[in-house]
């Protein structure tokens, strides 16, 4: 089944306890499409970059089977730029700089060949843009998943609430779930957020795994305890890409299949954090992914007499 991803394609500058990077390639949609490329062949991208974005990176996405027809290049504009600094625990970070640049007034054009997509992943970007994408699809996808962040809750809450009414699944982290709902208990937060629109909710808890909520059901997926976490940037997006890529590949959106998908998503996130930026995600094999998924199965399975 085909997947359409919309979101930021970016330059990132990162600071972690292990070192600093100059501008490297990042962006939500970059991580999502790369992670999804290991699962689905029809991997379409709608995003915007400036004339400063390297052609080789677009080539790299294409080598991974990502269709970049929908990637607009504004020659005279600058690519979205984000800079973040991680705390010692690597679980929390501060945003230092957000320059929307070409993303601010992006008018997402959906190529005709992307119409009819069964799966839509609205990666982190301006909520009004996420909404326009839904409105521009002639047929409603089988599953619309949305990711967002605290920035939009703070500066574009009304737009965010308006797009939330239209989506099936929302993925956010625990801090964002608390901010959006005003509830500390994640169970209470989940109830309130699901009442805003999405029938399914994933709350990511960094190195402590992720919770999947749907109606009265809850599933917990652990994160793999790694000896070294080098750079957590993109973990949430790799998680989303693995999750929705697996759903698209299996064409099954049942709760049971979402449980499997969350493990594939967690496996992709665990690879992502092993190196800076997209470095680890661009060089994976199916065998490595399957072996990692088996580690998750062993980690969380037990028997009770
Ligand atoms: P994650 O670590 O999965 O939360 O995502 C990190 C990626 O999100 C980075 O590569 C950033 O370029 C991108 N990002 C950060 N802030 C924003 C924003 N306000 N809008 C869109 N993308 C963003």
């Amino acid at each position: 089944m085909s997947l359409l991803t919309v979101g930021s394609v970016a330059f990132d500058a990162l600071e972690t306890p292990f070192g600093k990077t100059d501008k490297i390639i990042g962006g939500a949609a970059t991580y999502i499409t790369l992670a999804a490329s290991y699962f689905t062949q029809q991997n379409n991208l709608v995003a915007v970059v400036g004339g400063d974005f390297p052609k080789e990176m677009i080539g790299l996405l294409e080598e991974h089977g990502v269709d970049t027809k929908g990637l607009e290049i504004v020659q005279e504009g600058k690519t979205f730029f984000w800079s973040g600094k991680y705390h010692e625990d690597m679980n929390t970070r501060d945003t230092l700089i957000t320059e929307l640049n070409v993303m601010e007034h992006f008018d997402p054009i959906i190529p005709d060949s992307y119409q009819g997509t069964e799966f839509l992943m609205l990666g982190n970007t301006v909520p009004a843009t996420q909404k326009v994408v839904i409105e521009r699809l002639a047929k409603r996808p089988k599953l619309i998943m949305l990711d967002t962040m605290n920035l939009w809750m703070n500066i574009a809450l009304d737009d965010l609430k308006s797009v939330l009414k239209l989506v099936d699944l929302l993925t956010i982290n625990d801090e964002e779930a608390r901010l959006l709902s005003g509830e500390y208990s994640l169970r209470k937060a989940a109830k309130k957020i699901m009442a805003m629109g999405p029938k399914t909710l994933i709350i990511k808890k960094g190195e402590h795994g992720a919770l999947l909520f749907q109606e009265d059901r809850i599933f917990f997926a652990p994160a793999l305890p790694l000896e070294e976490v080098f750079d957590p940037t993109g973990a949430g997006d790799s998680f989303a890409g693995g999750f929705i890529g697996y759903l698209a590949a299996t064409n099954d959106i049942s709760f049971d299949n979402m449980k499997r998908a969350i493990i594939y998503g967690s496996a992709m996130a665990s690879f992502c954090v092993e190196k800076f930026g997209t470095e680890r995600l661009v060089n994976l094999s199916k065998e490595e992914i399957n072996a990692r998924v088996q580690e998750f199965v062993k980690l969380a399975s037990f028997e009770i007499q």
Side-chain angles (χ1 to χ4, degrees):
M1 293 290 123
S2 64
L3 169 65
L4 167 58
T5 299
V6 182
S8 55
V9 172
F11 284 127
D12 290 345
L14 313 167
E15 237 181 276
T16 79
F18 298 104
K20 256 173 125 167
T21 67
D22 266 338
K23 283 189 175 179
I24 59 169
I25 303 297
T30 312
Y31 287 102
I32 293 166
T33 51
L34 283 173
S37 72
Y38 293 93
F39 303 94
T40 177
Q41 264 90 55
Q42 285 174 285
N43 196 359
N44 300 328
L45 171 67
V46 166
V48 65
V49 291
D52 54 353
F53 195 75
K55 302 277 169 301
E56 311 85 71
M57 190 58 206
I58 301 177
L60 191 77
L61 288 172
E62 284 166 355
E63 276 168 35
H64 280 77
V66 180
D67 188 320
T68 60
K69 223 181 287 112
L71 178 65
E72 187 191 344
I73 303 173
V74 181
Q75 285 305 344
E76 66 288 1
K78 276 173 75 182
T79 300
F80 172 80
F81 173 62
W82 175 78
S83 167
K85 182 176 176 177
Y86 289 87
H87 299 181
E88 279 301 316
D89 69 0
M90 295 289 256
N91 255 335
T92 42
R93 71 180 175 206
D94 295 325
T95 289
L96 303 177
I97 305 171
T98 301
E99 288 174 11
L100 293 179
N101 298 331
V102 290
M103 218 169 80
E104 189 170 2
H105 300 293
F106 176 45
D107 181 30
I109 306 296
I110 318 288
D112 286 348
S113 59
Y114 293 5
Q115 289 290 350
T117 190
E118 286 93 358
F119 290 81
L120 174 62
M121 177 67 223
L122 298 167
N124 192 9
T125 189
V126 182
T129 307
Q130 294 175 314
K131 189 173 177 198
V132 167
V133 170
I134 300 178
E135 289 166 353
R136 289 185 179 171
L137 291 180
K139 184 169 155 262
R140 190 188 157 83
K142 184 168 175 169
L143 185 87
I144 303 179
M145 174 164 165
L146 183 138
D147 188 12
T148 187
M149 71 183 301
N150 50 1
L151 173 74
W152 308 120
M153 294 170 195
N154 292 327
I155 69 167
L157 185 61
D158 288 346
D159 286 349
L160 179 61
K161 284 194 170 161
S162 159
V163 67
L164 281 182
K165 291 198 183 108
L166 307 176
V167 309
D168 302 301
L169 196 159
L170 171 68
T171 162
I172 44 178
N173 69 31
D174 44 357
E175 215 180 294
E176 291 155 355
R178 289 181 172 125
L179 179 65
L180 183 61
S181 65
E183 292 287 350
Y184 188 80
S185 149
L186 293 180
R187 241 184 137 137
K188 282 191 185 164
K191 258 195 200 159
K192 275 201 178 169
I193 294 169
M194 289 192 288
M196 296 177 190
K199 293 217 162 49
T200 308
L201 173 69
I202 294 175
I203 300 183
K204 298 166 287 179
K205 291 161 60 64
E207 66 168 333
H208 304 298
L211 292 160
L212 169 69
F213 295 89
Q214 192 181 72
E215 292 164 1
D216 292 331
R217 289 173 285 206
I218 308 182
F219 176 71
F220 170 68
L224 197 65
L226 296 167
E227 287 202 12
E228 260 179 350
V229 173
F230 213 67
D231 168 22
T233 310
D237 305 312
S238 309
F239 170 89
F243 177 88
I244 200 160
Y246 180 81
L247 290 183
T250 49
N251 192 22
D252 174 356
I253 57 168
S254 66
F255 190 73
D256 276 341
N257 204 45
M258 284 190 188
K259 290 187 194 175
R260 287 184 280 273
I262 220 171
I263 300 298
Y264 278 91
S266 305
M268 298 312 286
S270 76
F271 284 121
C272 175
V273 303
E274 286 178 344
K275 294 232 167 111
F276 261 117
T278 55
E279 208 180 323
R280 186 72 177 99
L281 271 194
V282 294
N283 278 315
L284 281 170
S285 67
K286 291 244 159 79
E287 290 71 31
E288 280 177 294
I289 296 171
N290 288 336
R292 180 79 37 117
V293 164
Q294 287 313 314
E295 287 189 58
F296 275 85
V297 173
K298 263 199 251 151
L299 181 70
S301 65
F302 55 86
E303 284 173 26
I304 290 182
Q305 292 302 323

